[in-house]
Amino acid sequence: MTIPEAPAAAFDRDSALAAAKQDNGRDQDRAYDATKSGKSMPLPMIERRVVPQMGGAQYLGPEFRGSIYRLKFLRNGRVIWVDVDASTGRVVRRSGN
């Protein structure tokens, strides 16, 4: 008895999920290094400043992009991205309002 091969799309999805987890790990490492060196505020401090300003939108989590934290929110089925300067905590851009 032979086991049928999984469709190629399944491997692509699995590869994409693995890559996303790896990128998230790199984001965490970069954020930690930036905070430790004093180039970035700690994420919890930034979240305490921004989340209350989002008027009840569901907070989905952060991404770290060098000098910017990108916080993802969901409101009424729409995604809202809030870019925050990591060193100052100042909101520099919002999209998807």
Side-chain angles (χ1 to χ4, degrees), residues 74-94:
L74 184 65
R75 180 186 298 135
N76 299 325
R78 298 185 124 198
V79 174
I80 302 166
W81 294 99
V82 179
D83 293 345
V84 181
D85 183 296
S87 63
T88 66
R90 185 177 63 87
V91 173
V92 293
R93 181 179 30 222
R94 285 187 187 188

Side-chain angles (χ1 to χ4, degrees), residues 2 4 7-8 12 14 17 38 40 44 49 54 61-62 74 80 93:
T2 61
D12 293 340
D14 292 343
L17 289 172
S40 173
R49 289 178 175 205
M54 294 307 296
L74 184 65
I80 302 166
R93 181 179 30 222

